[in-house]
Amino acid sequence: MNKAHFQTCMLLAASLPSVCMAHGFGQTFTLPMPFWMVAWASSAVLLLTFALLAISTPTPAQQPSEASLSPNALAQAHPQWPLQLAQTVSLLVFFLAVYAGFAGTQNRNSNLAMTYFWIVWLLAGVYTMGLLGGWTGPWFNHLNPYRISFSGFQTQRQPYPAGLSHWPAVLGLVGLAWLELFGHTRPVHVSWMLSLYGLYALLGCWLWGSHTFFAKADWFSLYFDWLHRMGISVRQVFQPGFQANNTAAGLQQAAPSLASVVFVLGLFSTTALDGLKDTQWWLKSVWPWFVAWAAPMTGYPLETLQTNPMQASAVLGGAFGVFEQVTVLLSPWVLGAVFCLTLWLGLKLGRARMSIAQAILQFGPALMPIVLAYSLSHYFTLILTQGVQIVHLLSDPLGRGWNMLGTRNLWRAPVLLDAQLIWWMQLTMIVAGHVLSAVLAHRQAFAHLPTRRQANLSQLPILALMVALTVLGLWILSQPLQLGR
């Protein structure tokens, strides 16, 4: 797909109508137009993208460029003192945040630890790497406080078990998702988590060597490496002549392992469920279903629980929380099963001589733009509301009224955007992410199937999946939130 085709798709995505208040305002609202119109318009963009991809001439792979975006080349291409200064600041802020979580106020909005980790690190950092990583390089490899602290452990005392692959990073994702969605975290919990993870990183670097640990077993490094690959792939779309070398592979390279694809599926499913479980639909549909299903096991008549919500909550509230946690745990595998079925159908239609395991590794990376689109659309407002407060929190990290840097009273008020503007931005993000995923999946098909017809046929099931995920994502965003959650 050439640049003109891709830009045409982006313009069509941007031209979709602004239709409702953004998901996340906790109140009931009415869409100015039927939701099916939004769903059809978004689906039409994907169908048009598929048509353009089907008739376009695939861009041939270019030779690797001389300028590498690998971590070593990045460090060599810039003066050392700015990098060293940035690393020093990264470490100081990290340890200050950990200390603040232990010693400061436990008010979530007034303690540096919460805003630093959840907003600045995991959100602002994610978006910076995902959107700019292909142009600026993998800066997180240099600013990761764990990597800075433990990079001196170069000796590998034990070989890394091949069977572990990236599964330790997947377990880290599960733990972090549980902490975010169900942990009801306070600043002290964040500090304990960062401290215990530091002990895990120290042990892993001492045992397997820092290079192996951060390449295989570190949750943060795997996440940011995926986003860096996506940034490179975006650059490849806009600059077809650019081809990253093996040290900075884009998403058109195969996934490093099956576990890393499960990691991507987990990122997607936990973000989607995070939005879904806080909607009024979840309260009005899933909760009544759960009550009807679980009532016979409680000894209470179903009619009593249905007519007395307080009693139903007291009897089944804890069990419903466990149900939600199990749902989050199983969601990557359910999504993985759907993805595998989609790939299997595509291979059959395209008569591809490729195993399902090979297809997962080849096409799994194409899901990453959807992951970033969902994360952006669900969480970017947090940067504007809570993230900007990092300016005054650095002056008063413990919430005790200090003003160490003279910035205590700066940016105390959240930045609030118009609700319809937020929806328009979310809509564009969701559609653009799916369009880019479709582009990447098509490129993989053209690269691995012998004829254009086979490649196009193999993408029909993936197109159906993309349309379904787009409609689902927009539907979740259009739902009002439960009050009090």
Side-chain angles (χ1 to χ4, degrees):
M1 184 179 188
N2 58 34
K3 180 178 178 180
H5 286 161
F6 184 79
Q7 289 177 334
T8 300
C9 294
M10 291 296 101
L11 289 173
L12 286 169
S15 67
L16 290 175
S18 173
V19 297
C20 73
M21 295 182 67
H23 168 68
F25 285 84
Q27 63 187 68
T28 302
F29 53 84
T30 302
L31 298 179
M33 64 175 62
F35 177 76
W36 65 264
M37 289 187 179
V38 182
W40 275 109
S42 304
S43 301
V45 171
L46 287 174
L47 293 171
L48 178 58
T49 300
F50 177 86
L52 291 174
L53 290 167
I55 64 176
S56 64
T57 302
T59 303
Q62 303 292 326
Q63 293 298 320
S65 62
E66 295 180 1
S68 170
L69 293 180
S70 67
N72 292 335
L74 180 64
Q76 296 169 1
H78 297 81
Q80 288 298 305
W81 71 265
L83 180 59
Q84 293 171 353
L85 176 62
Q87 290 176 331
T88 302
V89 172
S90 176
L91 280 178
L92 287 177
V93 175
F94 173 79
F95 287 116
L96 179 61
V98 172
Y99 175 73
F102 285 126
T105 177
Q106 293 305 298
N107 184 308
R108 292 181 175 90
N109 295 324
S110 302
N111 191 296
L112 175 65
M114 297 291 288
T115 300
Y116 164 77
F117 179 70
W118 294 113
I119 310 298
V120 175
W121 188 343
L122 286 185
L123 293 185
V126 161
Y127 303 156
T128 300
M129 284 298 301
L131 297 176
L132 303 178
W135 282 267
T136 62
W139 287 105
F140 181 75
N141 289 336
H142 296 284
L143 301 182
N144 181 350
Y146 296 118
R147 191 186 288 262
I148 297 172
S149 301
F150 306 133
S151 60
F153 292 92
Q154 301 290 340
T155 304
Q156 191 177 51
R157 289 172 172 82
Q158 293 290 334
Y160 187 82
L164 279 183
S165 183
H166 291 90
W167 291 114
V170 174
L171 291 177
L173 170 63
V174 171
L176 192 66
W178 182 90
L179 191 66
E180 178 190 1
L181 302 182
F182 307 106
H184 305 291
T185 56
R186 295 184 295 136
V188 66
H189 300 144
V190 171
S191 293
W192 272 115
M193 185 271 294
L194 292 174
S195 300
L196 293 175
Y197 196 86
L199 292 177
Y200 161 69
L202 174 61
L203 177 61
C205 290
W206 178 83
L207 188 64
W208 300 314
S210 59
H211 177 77
T212 300
F213 172 80
F214 289 111
K216 293 284 189 179
D218 179 33
W219 184 95
F220 301 109
S221 293
L222 181 59
Y223 191 12
F224 281 87
D225 286 346
W226 267 117
L227 291 164
H228 177 56
R229 284 162 60 105
M230 200 204 75
I232 291 176
S233 293
V234 173
R235 183 174 176 181
Q236 290 171 336
V237 168
F238 284 98
Q239 299 179 1
F242 171 81
Q243 179 72 20
N245 61 25
N246 291 333
T247 59
L251 295 178
Q252 289 185 256
Q253 303 290 331
S257 67
L258 174 62
S260 66
V261 177
V262 174
F263 185 88
V264 172
L265 294 171
L267 289 172
F268 173 82
S269 62
T270 54
T271 301
L273 279 174
D274 184 22
L276 184 62
K277 75 179 186 66
D278 287 338
T279 62
Q280 290 185 14
W281 176 86
W282 188 267
L283 177 65
K284 295 178 179 179
S285 299
V286 179
W287 167 247
W289 168 84
F290 182 82
V291 170
W293 174 78
M297 295 178 280
T298 65
Y300 289 86
L302 176 59
E303 294 76 11
T304 301
L305 296 179
Q306 288 177 333
T307 57
N308 191 337
M310 296 296 293
Q311 185 176 14
S313 179
V315 173
L316 293 172
F320 188 65
V322 174
F323 165 77
E324 290 183 315
Q325 296 177 44
V326 172
T327 301
V328 171
L329 182 64
L330 294 180
S331 62
W333 304 103
V334 174
L335 178 61
V338 173
F339 183 58
C340 288
L341 177 61
T342 302
L343 292 178
W344 179 80
L345 291 174
L347 295 177
K348 290 296 183 182
L349 285 175
R351 298 181 180 180
R353 296 181 178 179
M354 181 186 299
S355 68
I356 188 65
Q358 292 173 321
I360 291 172
L361 297 181
Q362 292 296 334
F363 291 95
L367 295 174
M368 199 60 211
I370 301 177
V371 171
L372 182 63
Y374 271 70
S375 180
L376 272 168
S377 60
H378 279 83
Y379 302 131
F380 82 98
T381 54
L382 289 176
I383 297 178
L384 302 177
T385 55
Q386 180 64 27
V388 295
Q389 297 192 37
I390 191 70
V391 176
H392 79 81
L393 287 174
L394 287 173
S395 275
D396 186 20
L398 306 185
R400 295 181 178 177
W402 299 347
N403 194 15
M404 297 187 299
L405 302 179
T407 61
R408 179 188 169 199
N409 295 319
L410 293 179
W411 286 24
R412 294 298 299 267
V415 179
L416 299 177
L417 300 179
D418 177 76
Q420 291 203 10
L421 174 61
I422 292 176
W423 166 257
W424 185 88
M425 295 171 65
Q426 291 173 323
L427 179 64
T428 303
M429 292 172 192
I430 291 290
V431 177
H434 286 80
V435 167
L436 181 57
S437 287
V439 172
L440 294 173
H442 248 84
R443 285 190 169 188
Q444 288 292 72
F446 280 126
H448 294 91
L449 295 177
T451 67
R452 179 191 298 273
R453 183 175 183 274
Q454 287 179 284
N456 288 330
L457 287 175
S458 72
Q459 293 303 291
L460 290 175
I462 295 180
L463 173 64
L465 178 63
M466 295 290 183
V467 170
L469 293 178
T470 301
V471 174
L472 175 63
L474 294 175
W475 178 81
I476 292 175
L477 287 173
S478 70
Q479 298 300 302
L481 291 181
Q482 301 178 42
L483 295 176
R485 288 201 65 169

